[in-house]
Amino acid sequence: MAAPRRVSSTGDLHLPPGRGLPDGLTIPAGELVERFSRSSGPGGQSVNTTDSRVELSWDVGNSAALGDHHRARLLTRLDGRLTSGVLTISASEHRSQLQNRAAARTRLAAMVMAALRPEQVRRPTRPSRAAKQARLDAKKRRSRLKSDRRLRGD
């Protein structure tokens, strides 16, 4: 899951090209809604005065940045994370609001890229001839061991 290296804390959110997203994706800044609130945890004297916690919301269901195929895939894969089609990420691990904004955007980008990545197709395989023979030999050994334990009726 290759999230963007550096994510700006403001402006459009750019996702690089990858599997399931060959041309990349740009989420316009107008579609991203940020709310700020007071964060719990360490902060020193400014802990009760700074709104450093960030809630980043993106309306996946009504986004103009997505095609129908990508929108359907995101709505299906992120179903448990969506509230009325809106994906919300909160970040409060840093003391700085700017760092929390960047962290929320990085997390959103990683989550969207992971959801858009196509599923791996499982290719069925067969055991090799040697593996089959080894399995049968092991069964014979085990059978012989158990039969040797039985009391023989002389």
PDB file of all heavy atoms in Angstrom, residues 136-150 152:
ATOM      1  N   LEU A 136       1.257 -40.417   0.913  1.00  0.00           N
ATOM      2  CA  LEU A 136       0.884 -41.833   0.992  1.00  0.00           C
ATOM      3  C   LEU A 136       1.890 -42.611   1.825  1.00  0.00           C
ATOM      4  O   LEU A 136       1.509 -43.502   2.602  1.00  0.00           O
ATOM      5  CB  LEU A 136       0.771 -42.432  -0.412  1.00  0.00           C
ATOM      6  CG  LEU A 136      -0.404 -41.901  -1.242  1.00  0.00           C
ATOM      7  CD1 LEU A 136      -0.340 -42.459  -2.657  1.00  0.00           C
ATOM      8  CD2 LEU A 136      -1.725 -42.252  -0.590  1.00  0.00           C
ATOM      9  N   ASP A 137       3.191 -42.317   1.656  1.00  0.00           N
ATOM     10  CA  ASP A 137       4.214 -43.005   2.452  1.00  0.00           C
ATOM     11  C   ASP A 137       4.024 -42.720   3.938  1.00  0.00           C
ATOM     12  O   ASP A 137       4.156 -43.620   4.784  1.00  0.00           O
ATOM     13  CB  ASP A 137       5.613 -42.571   2.020  1.00  0.00           C
ATOM     14  CG  ASP A 137       5.974 -43.091   0.628  1.00  0.00           C
ATOM     15  OD1 ASP A 137       5.264 -43.999   0.142  1.00  0.00           O
ATOM     16  OD2 ASP A 137       6.940 -42.570   0.036  1.00  0.00           O
ATOM     17  N   ALA A 138       3.708 -41.481   4.270  1.00  0.00           N
ATOM     18  CA  ALA A 138       3.487 -41.109   5.676  1.00  0.00           C
ATOM     19  C   ALA A 138       2.274 -41.850   6.233  1.00  0.00           C
ATOM     20  O   ALA A 138       2.290 -42.320   7.376  1.00  0.00           O
ATOM     21  CB  ALA A 138       3.296 -39.600   5.793  1.00  0.00           C
ATOM     22  N   LYS A 139       1.237 -41.984   5.400  1.00  0.00           N
ATOM     23  CA  LYS A 139       0.048 -42.719   5.853  1.00  0.00           C
ATOM     24  C   LYS A 139       0.377 -44.188   6.097  1.00  0.00           C
ATOM     25  O   LYS A 139      -0.091 -44.786   7.069  1.00  0.00           O
ATOM     26  CB  LYS A 139      -1.077 -42.605   4.800  1.00  0.00           C
ATOM     27  CG  LYS A 139      -1.762 -41.257   4.804  1.00  0.00           C
ATOM     28  CD  LYS A 139      -2.804 -41.156   3.716  1.00  0.00           C
ATOM     29  CE  LYS A 139      -4.016 -41.966   4.080  1.00  0.00           C
ATOM     30  NZ  LYS A 139      -5.201 -41.654   3.256  1.00  0.00           N
ATOM     31  N   LYS A 140       1.184 -44.752   5.208  1.00  0.00           N
ATOM     32  CA  LYS A 140       1.559 -46.171   5.377  1.00  0.00           C
ATOM     33  C   LYS A 140       2.384 -46.371   6.640  1.00  0.00           C
ATOM     34  O   LYS A 140       2.180 -47.332   7.390  1.00  0.00           O
ATOM     35  CB  LYS A 140       2.365 -46.655   4.166  1.00  0.00           C
ATOM     36  CG  LYS A 140       1.523 -46.948   2.956  1.00  0.00           C
ATOM     37  CD  LYS A 140       2.376 -47.422   1.798  1.00  0.00           C
ATOM     38  CE  LYS A 140       1.523 -47.519   0.538  1.00  0.00           C
ATOM     39  NZ  LYS A 140       2.332 -47.768  -0.647  1.00  0.00           N
ATOM     40  N   ARG A 141       3.344 -45.453   6.873  1.00  0.00           N
ATOM     41  CA  ARG A 141       4.169 -45.541   8.090  1.00  0.00           C
ATOM     42  C   ARG A 141       3.283 -45.459   9.337  1.00  0.00           C
ATOM     43  O   ARG A 141       3.433 -46.243  10.270  1.00  0.00           O
ATOM     44  CB  ARG A 141       5.182 -44.390   8.117  1.00  0.00           C
ATOM     45  CG  ARG A 141       6.546 -44.773   7.636  1.00  0.00           C
ATOM     46  CD  ARG A 141       7.598 -43.738   7.988  1.00  0.00           C
ATOM     47  NE  ARG A 141       7.209 -42.358   7.716  1.00  0.00           N
ATOM     48  CZ  ARG A 141       7.336 -41.752   6.537  1.00  0.00           C
ATOM     49  NH1 ARG A 141       7.827 -42.406   5.499  1.00  0.00           N
ATOM     50  NH2 ARG A 141       6.971 -40.500   6.387  1.00  0.00           N
ATOM     51  N   ARG A 142       2.375 -44.523   9.337  1.00  0.00           N
ATOM     52  CA  ARG A 142       1.491 -44.341  10.499  1.00  0.00           C
ATOM     53  C   ARG A 142       0.611 -45.571  10.698  1.00  0.00           C
ATOM     54  O   ARG A 142       0.388 -46.021  11.819  1.00  0.00           O
ATOM     55  CB  ARG A 142       0.623 -43.097  10.255  1.00  0.00           C
ATOM     56  CG  ARG A 142      -0.125 -42.629  11.451  1.00  0.00           C
ATOM     57  CD  ARG A 142       0.795 -41.890  12.387  1.00  0.00           C
ATOM     58  NE  ARG A 142       0.068 -41.570  13.595  1.00  0.00           N
ATOM     59  CZ  ARG A 142       0.600 -41.518  14.780  1.00  0.00           C
ATOM     60  NH1 ARG A 142       1.886 -41.746  14.939  1.00  0.00           N
ATOM     61  NH2 ARG A 142      -0.112 -41.211  15.825  1.00  0.00           N
ATOM     62  N   SER A 143       0.105 -46.108   9.602  1.00  0.00           N
ATOM     63  CA  SER A 143      -0.741 -47.306   9.671  1.00  0.00           C
ATOM     64  C   SER A 143       0.042 -48.490  10.225  1.00  0.00           C
ATOM     65  O   SER A 143      -0.456 -49.234  11.079  1.00  0.00           O
ATOM     66  CB  SER A 143      -1.265 -47.624   8.265  1.00  0.00           C
ATOM     67  OG  SER A 143      -1.936 -48.840   8.269  1.00  0.00           O
ATOM     68  N   ARG A 144       1.279 -48.671   9.736  1.00  0.00           N
ATOM     69  CA  ARG A 144       2.124 -49.774  10.206  1.00  0.00           C
ATOM     70  C   ARG A 144       2.400 -49.613  11.705  1.00  0.00           C
ATOM     71  O   ARG A 144       2.334 -50.576  12.474  1.00  0.00           O
ATOM     72  CB  ARG A 144       3.443 -49.784   9.434  1.00  0.00           C
ATOM     73  CG  ARG A 144       4.157 -51.104   9.502  1.00  0.00           C
ATOM     74  CD  ARG A 144       5.372 -51.205   8.598  1.00  0.00           C
ATOM     75  NE  ARG A 144       5.104 -50.822   7.213  1.00  0.00           N
ATOM     76  CZ  ARG A 144       5.667 -49.755   6.599  1.00  0.00           C
ATOM     77  NH1 ARG A 144       6.533 -49.003   7.218  1.00  0.00           N
ATOM     78  NH2 ARG A 144       5.359 -49.479   5.351  1.00  0.00           N
ATOM     79  N   LEU A 145       2.685 -48.390  12.158  1.00  0.00           N
ATOM     80  CA  LEU A 145       2.965 -48.127  13.563  1.00  0.00           C
ATOM     81  C   LEU A 145       1.760 -48.490  14.427  1.00  0.00           C
ATOM     82  O   LEU A 145       1.891 -49.156  15.457  1.00  0.00           O
ATOM     83  CB  LEU A 145       3.314 -46.643  13.750  1.00  0.00           C
ATOM     84  CG  LEU A 145       3.609 -46.187  15.160  1.00  0.00           C
ATOM     85  CD1 LEU A 145       4.977 -46.704  15.588  1.00  0.00           C
ATOM     86  CD2 LEU A 145       3.556 -44.681  15.257  1.00  0.00           C
ATOM     87  N   LYS A 146       0.582 -48.102  13.975  1.00  0.00           N
ATOM     88  CA  LYS A 146      -0.621 -48.393  14.764  1.00  0.00           C
ATOM     89  C   LYS A 146      -0.946 -49.888  14.758  1.00  0.00           C
ATOM     90  O   LYS A 146      -1.386 -50.434  15.766  1.00  0.00           O
ATOM     91  CB  LYS A 146      -1.816 -47.589  14.223  1.00  0.00           C
ATOM     92  CG  LYS A 146      -1.719 -46.112  14.550  1.00  0.00           C
ATOM     93  CD  LYS A 146      -2.988 -45.393  14.156  1.00  0.00           C
ATOM     94  CE  LYS A 146      -2.966 -43.962  14.616  1.00  0.00           C
ATOM     95  NZ  LYS A 146      -4.259 -43.322  14.474  1.00  0.00           N
ATOM     96  N   SER A 147      -0.726 -50.532  13.607  1.00  0.00           N
ATOM     97  CA  SER A 147      -1.034 -51.972  13.557  1.00  0.00           C
ATOM     98  C   SER A 147      -0.054 -52.766  14.424  1.00  0.00           C
ATOM     99  O   SER A 147      -0.410 -53.804  14.985  1.00  0.00           O
ATOM    100  CB  SER A 147      -1.021 -52.481  12.119  1.00  0.00           C
ATOM    101  OG  SER A 147       0.278 -52.419  11.596  1.00  0.00           O
ATOM    102  N   ASP A 148       1.183 -52.289  14.551  1.00  0.00           N
ATOM    103  CA  ASP A 148       2.156 -52.958  15.419  1.00  0.00           C
ATOM    104  C   ASP A 148       1.776 -52.835  16.887  1.00  0.00           C
ATOM    105  O   ASP A 148       2.175 -53.651  17.707  1.00  0.00           O
ATOM    106  CB  ASP A 148       3.566 -52.393  15.208  1.00  0.00           C
ATOM    107  CG  ASP A 148       4.161 -52.832  13.873  1.00  0.00           C
ATOM    108  OD1 ASP A 148       3.595 -53.768  13.260  1.00  0.00           O
ATOM    109  OD2 ASP A 148       5.183 -52.243  13.450  1.00  0.00           O
ATOM    110  N   ARG A 149       1.044 -51.815  17.227  1.00  0.00           N
ATOM    111  CA  ARG A 149       0.641 -51.631  18.625  1.00  0.00           C
ATOM    112  C   ARG A 149      -0.484 -52.581  19.027  1.00  0.00           C
ATOM    113  O   ARG A 149      -0.689 -52.811  20.206  1.00  0.00           O
ATOM    114  CB  ARG A 149       0.131 -50.196  18.836  1.00  0.00           C
ATOM    115  CG  ARG A 149       1.216 -49.173  18.905  1.00  0.00           C
ATOM    116  CD  ARG A 149       0.590 -47.850  19.317  1.00  0.00           C
ATOM    117  NE  ARG A 149       1.410 -46.741  18.893  1.00  0.00           N
ATOM    118  CZ  ARG A 149       0.942 -45.575  18.517  1.00  0.00           C
ATOM    119  NH1 ARG A 149      -0.348 -45.364  18.469  1.00  0.00           N
ATOM    120  NH2 ARG A 149       1.757 -44.621  18.153  1.00  0.00           N
ATOM    121  N   ARG A 150      -1.243 -53.049  18.037  1.00  0.00           N
ATOM    122  CA  ARG A 150      -2.387 -53.912  18.351  1.00  0.00           C
ATOM    123  C   ARG A 150      -1.926 -55.251  18.907  1.00  0.00           C
ATOM    124  O   ARG A 150      -0.894 -55.774  18.506  1.00  0.00           O
ATOM    125  CB  ARG A 150      -3.196 -54.191  17.091  1.00  0.00           C
ATOM    126  CG  ARG A 150      -4.226 -53.144  16.858  1.00  0.00           C
ATOM    127  CD  ARG A 150      -5.199 -53.599  15.786  1.00  0.00           C
ATOM    128  NE  ARG A 150      -5.168 -52.567  14.732  1.00  0.00           N
ATOM    129  CZ  ARG A 150      -5.179 -52.798  13.465  1.00  0.00           C
ATOM    130  NH1 ARG A 150      -5.198 -54.012  13.009  1.00  0.00           N
ATOM    131  NH2 ARG A 150      -5.153 -51.815  12.610  1.00  0.00           N
ATOM    132  N   ARG A 152      -1.940 -59.046  19.041  1.00  0.00           N
ATOM    133  CA  ARG A 152      -2.265 -60.062  18.044  1.00  0.00           C
ATOM    134  C   ARG A 152      -2.895 -61.274  18.749  1.00  0.00           C
ATOM    135  O   ARG A 152      -2.423 -61.708  19.773  1.00  0.00           O
ATOM    136  CB  ARG A 152      -1.008 -60.494  17.333  1.00  0.00           C
ATOM    137  CG  ARG A 152      -0.332 -59.272  16.761  1.00  0.00           C
ATOM    138  CD  ARG A 152       0.478 -59.565  15.595  1.00  0.00           C
ATOM    139  NE  ARG A 152       1.046 -58.262  15.196  1.00  0.00           N
ATOM    140  CZ  ARG A 152       1.345 -57.978  14.001  1.00  0.00           C
ATOM    141  NH1 ARG A 152       1.171 -58.857  13.083  1.00  0.00           N
ATOM    142  NH2 ARG A 152       1.851 -56.814  13.703  1.00  0.00           N
TER     143      ARG A 152
END
